[in-house]
Amino acid sequence: TGSTCGPATTAWPTATEAAALQPDSLSGGQDALKLKSRGGVVRVFKAAGYSLAGLRAAFIHEAAFRQLLLLAAALIPLAFWLPVTGVERALMVGVVLLALIVELINSAIEAVVDRISLELHPLSKRAKDLGSAAQMLALLLITSVWSLILFSPA
């Protein structure tokens, strides 16, 4: 979160670092269409593997994702400990998971923008700022839902 494309606020990866971030899953001349055409149970297991790889990449490369995981590790057990209704508990847990989902999408947007070009560009800045704004709204949603449930009169 909080991405901007100004020289004073962004630590752009070097060309070597950017090259190291390139996925190797499509190397060796594999066609992306062939990967998408697989069906059945094999496709489900491959998709699960890609999803786990995405979570691993977010954990390794994204500090904001790790911070949100810490928040989730505190809030989700707390939601199960608090004396709230099942619907309230589902809302409390759901908004925390939503913030993690938004961060994954925000990180994907940032990765795609950086993959296209590390050059500073107004559209790159806009894309990154929009992703950051989405995450800010997700965090405000956590605050709002938790506050309304915990501090509203019964």
Side-chain angles (χ1 to χ4, degrees):
T1 61
S3 299
T4 59
C5 290
T9 59
T10 302
W12 294 100
T14 65
T16 305
E17 291 170 334
L21 297 175
Q22 300 306 312
D24 58 358
S25 61
L26 295 178
S27 62
Q30 288 183 333
D31 183 23
L33 188 57
K34 287 181 189 175
L35 293 174
K36 289 186 174 192
S37 67
R38 293 185 179 135
V41 177
V42 172
R43 182 181 177 280
V44 172
F45 282 108
K46 292 271 185 190
Y50 300 143
S51 298
L52 292 174
L55 289 170
R56 182 176 184 269
F59 185 80
I60 291 170
H61 299 290
E62 302 296 331
F65 185 74
R66 291 190 300 272
Q67 292 165 353
L68 280 171
L69 278 178
L70 285 174
L71 182 66
L75 291 181
I76 291 174
L78 182 60
F80 283 93
W81 180 78
L82 290 169
V84 295
T85 68
V87 171
E88 291 170 331
R89 184 171 292 114
L91 284 170
M92 295 168 84
V93 171
V95 295
V96 173
L97 295 176
L98 179 64
L100 287 168
I101 293 166
V102 170
E103 183 56 40
L104 289 169
I105 294 169
N106 182 35
S107 296
I109 290 167
E110 290 182 359
V112 169
V113 168
D114 290 346
R115 168 62 176 97
I116 292 169
S117 175
L118 295 177
E119 176 183 323
L120 299 180
H121 191 279
L123 290 176
S124 297
K125 179 180 181 349
R126 185 187 311 166
K128 289 184 171 194
D129 288 349
L130 289 169
S132 179
Q135 184 56 39
M136 181 186 72
L137 291 176
L139 293 171
L140 286 173
L141 185 61
I142 291 174
T143 305
S144 300
V145 168
W146 278 70
S147 294
L148 285 170
I149 290 172
L150 295 177
F151 303 119
S152 290

